[in-house]
Amino acid sequence: MMSVVGAQPFIKPMQPSPSVSPGIQRRHTLPASEVRPLNTQDAISVFEIEREAFISVSGECPLHLDEVRHFLTLCPEYSMGWFEEGRLVAFIIGSLWDQDRLTTEALTLHKPRGSTLHIHVLAVHRTFRQQGKGPILMWRYLQYLRCLPNVRRAVLMCEDFLVPFYRKSGFKVLGRCAITVANLTFTEMFYPISGHAYMRRNSEAIRFPQHPLTLPLTKTDEHVDV
């Protein structure tokens, strides 16, 4: 994962298009690149990307299609999708949890009063891997969580070979996860969420999830992508 420490604002307000002559004005209906919350209409696209990304590696999906719809119905504000010309290329789905460590119940439950954000899945479409999109989206997501005063930490479970990937985004190892899936075991990792007061002071420039965001493509990364 990529570590981003720059002082640039997390999200810049979208700028109005410059005035041009009606005769030469370009017509388009979809932004070149945007980040927005997911909804149930995105569920099939989400699952298709997830299935290809995980089934080919481990034989298991973190979320099945009905579970994707479940979380995008209950708590879409804890999801984030990266779209290019209307096409989903990468996404994160999360939900709230109310315990220090993950248990099997965390795989299917959303605890609205919890202060821990459980990241269920991060996946990138196969066509867009090795372009740094996974690290960039994760950084954006973690910065967004700083705007939510009730969220104090983010946690996830991953297979051991992905631990270096998440370390580079600032996650720390908690230890062996209590959850197993089939014959798979996982490492549990966490990321402390801080800086809420600063982000609230600057929240007028942040409109996620109410409005789509422009995502500048200025970073690339050579780390493992997912």
Side-chain angles (χ1 to χ4, degrees), residues 68-84:
V68 171
R69 290 194 175 110
H70 171 71
F71 286 116
L72 295 186
T73 299
L74 283 181
C75 49
E77 67 273 23
Y78 299 114
S79 69
M80 183 177 280
W82 182 337
F83 294 79
E84 291 193 352

Side-chain angles (χ1 to χ4, degrees), residues 88-163:
L88 181 64
V89 301
F91 69 88
I92 295 173
I93 293 179
S95 65
L96 289 179
W97 183 237
D98 60 357
Q99 298 180 32
D100 291 337
R101 298 293 297 266
L102 296 175
T103 70
T104 303
E105 290 183 331
L107 299 179
T108 56
L109 296 182
H110 168 59
K111 299 285 191 176
R113 297 185 179 180
S115 61
T116 294
L117 194 290
H118 175 203
I119 299 176
H120 292 272
V121 57
L122 159 66
V124 179
H125 191 284
R126 63 180 180 275
T127 305
F128 297 90
R129 291 177 195 151
Q130 304 303 324
Q131 298 177 22
K133 284 181 167 55
I136 293 173
L137 186 63
M138 178 59 80
W139 180 78
R140 291 269 171 171
Y141 188 74
L142 294 173
Q143 299 309 306
Y144 165 62
L145 294 181
R146 295 177 186 272
C147 308
L148 307 178
N150 59 315
V151 177
R152 295 303 178 198
R153 62 204 292 268
V155 299
L156 57 83
M157 50 185 261
C158 66
E159 292 182 76
D160 291 348
F161 74 93
L162 285 173
V163 168

Side-chain angles (χ1 to χ4, degrees), residues 5-31:
V5 194
Q8 294 181 348
F10 162 45
I11 297 166
K12 297 180 180 179
M14 296 184 68
Q15 300 296 324
S17 301
S19 298
V20 296
S21 169
I24 61 173
Q25 186 173 10
R26 293 181 60 187
R27 292 188 175 184
H28 59 83
T29 58
L30 296 171

Side-chain angles (χ1 to χ4, degrees), residues 137-207:
L137 186 63
M138 178 59 80
W139 180 78
R140 291 269 171 171
Y141 188 74
L142 294 173
Q143 299 309 306
Y144 165 62
L145 294 181
R146 295 177 186 272
C147 308
L148 307 178
N150 59 315
V151 177
R152 295 303 178 198
R153 62 204 292 268
V155 299
L156 57 83
M157 50 185 261
C158 66
E159 292 182 76
D160 291 348
F161 74 93
L162 285 173
V163 168
F165 178 88
Y166 289 110
R167 279 187 187 275
K168 289 171 183 174
S169 198
F171 283 83
K172 302 180 185 299
V173 172
L174 275 171
R176 182 59 58 188
C177 186
I179 301 170
T180 60
V181 178
N183 61 342
L184 298 177
T185 60
F186 304 94
T187 296
E188 191 167 336
M189 306 186 73
F190 81 101
Y191 182 94
I193 304 297
S194 59
H196 292 82
Y198 172 80
M199 294 304 295
R200 282 198 298 270
R201 287 198 300 270
N202 293 274
S203 61
E204 289 186 2
I206 300 172
R207 294 291 180 251

